[in-house]
Amino acid sequence: AQSVTQLGSHVSVSEGALVLLRCNYSSSVPPYLFWYVQYPNQGLQLLLKYTSAATLVKGINGFEAEFKKSETSFHLTKPSAHMSDAAEYFCAVSEGSSASKIIFGSGTRLSIRP
Amino acid sequence: GAGVSQSPSNKVTEKGKDVELRCDPISGHTALYWYRQSLGQGLEFLIYFQGNSAPDKSGLPSDRFSAERTGGSVSTLTIQRTQQEDSAVYLCASSLVGGGLFSEAFFGQGTRLTVV
């Protein structure tokens, strides 16, 4: 069965600094991977997804993630943090079968220091 | 509809009362999920539907919680004899299929349940 682990429940970076949010997955088959973002008092929305077409995936708001099979990772990065990036970020994984289900990580809260 | 719709958006209930939370998924989506999110916490998985059946109910916290889905569409989450610890935001999500290329989940805005 698939699973996903997000290292660090809270990450704090300075405005303009690199953002790195870590996600490791476990899957017995090639996975489909997702990052979701939840801004304060809002619902979850899809940030980006990996579907095997390309290992580097670009999403909204300047975020990107790289699928590394050898490391079973799908870390989320942004070169320069903006105050508006402060939110909760969730990594998720699903497997190839249409009968399987998507599994979410525990989330990482990103804070931005002025 | 255009998105996942949940009702009510807010519910205040007295301890011991039963509540029903409704989720209207995106039309044609076969997979439906219920999650719970307590203040400042992550997503707690409750139950997953594939069509009208629930292959995974492992997240339901107690037998006071139940859910059903009818016609492969609308789902209702029922909490009986509510307790204060049930206070949370209940999120519903749907996806075209459970896994694979079109498995991304679309979330509703949630129902904020407060038990007083």
Side-chain angles (χ1 to χ4, degrees):
Chain A
Q2 73 269 36
S3 66
V4 62
T5 302
Q6 292 185 241
L7 292 175
S9 59
H10 185 208
V11 170
S12 180
V13 302
S14 297
E15 190 173 18
L18 171 71
V19 175
L20 171 61
L21 304 182
R22 299 178 186 275
C23 173
N24 287 87
Y25 69 91
S26 171
S27 176
S28 57
V29 297
Y32 294 84
L33 296 157
F34 311 85
W35 276 99
Y36 284 79
V37 60
Q38 185 179 33
Y39 296 106
N41 300 313
Q42 294 189 29
L44 278 84
Q45 59 181 283
L46 184 69
L47 198 55
L48 51 81
K49 64 180 179 180
Y50 166 75
T51 58
S52 78
T55 57
L56 183 63
V57 182
K58 295 186 184 298
I60 61 173
N61 300 335
F63 282 92
E64 61 183 36
E66 186 173 9
F67 172 69
K68 292 187 177 181
K69 183 178 179 180
S70 61
E71 299 177 9
T72 61
S73 69
F74 190 58
H75 302 331
L76 182 70
T77 60
K78 182 174 180 177
S80 177
H82 192 273
M83 296 300 291
S84 61
D85 295 327
E88 187 90 18
Y89 292 81
F90 295 92
C91 183
V93 62
S94 74
E95 294 187 331
S97 167
S98 61
S100 69
K101 68 180 190 287
I102 191 168
I103 301 290
F104 282 85
S106 55
T108 297
R109 182 169 300 277
L110 176 64
S111 299
I112 312 296
R113 302 187 300 271
Chain B
V4 178
S5 177
Q6 292 187 246
S7 60
S9 55
N10 279 285
K11 176 72 176 179
V12 180
T13 190
E14 293 181 353
K15 178 181 172 181
K17 300 280 190 182
D18 297 352
V19 295
E20 282 190 355
L21 311 181
R22 178 186 168 104
C23 174
D24 277 280
I26 294 173
S27 178
H29 279 196
T30 63
L32 186 146
Y33 305 82
W34 283 99
Y35 295 90
R36 181 167 69 175
Q37 190 172 34
S38 302
L39 188 62
Q41 302 299 309
L43 293 173
E44 179 186 3
F45 169 76
L46 297 179
I47 188 169
Y48 161 63
F49 286 93
Q50 182 64 246
N52 289 335
S53 47
D56 190 348
K57 306 178 184 178
S58 62
L60 294 177
S62 75
D63 58 8
R64 296 187 296 105
F65 288 73
S66 63
E68 65 174 11
R69 188 179 185 195
T70 56
S73 181
V74 172
S75 177
T76 303
L77 177 69
T78 301
I79 309 173
Q80 296 179 310
R81 305 181 302 282
T82 52
Q83 304 294 313
Q84 288 186 328
E85 60 263 29
D86 299 334
S87 297
V89 176
Y90 289 81
L91 293 169
C92 177
S94 71
S95 62
L96 190 61
V97 291
L101 188 59
F102 302 104
S103 59
E104 64 186 85
F106 294 82
F107 282 81
Q109 291 299 304
T111 293
R112 183 176 299 277
L113 176 66
T114 304
V115 182
V116 298

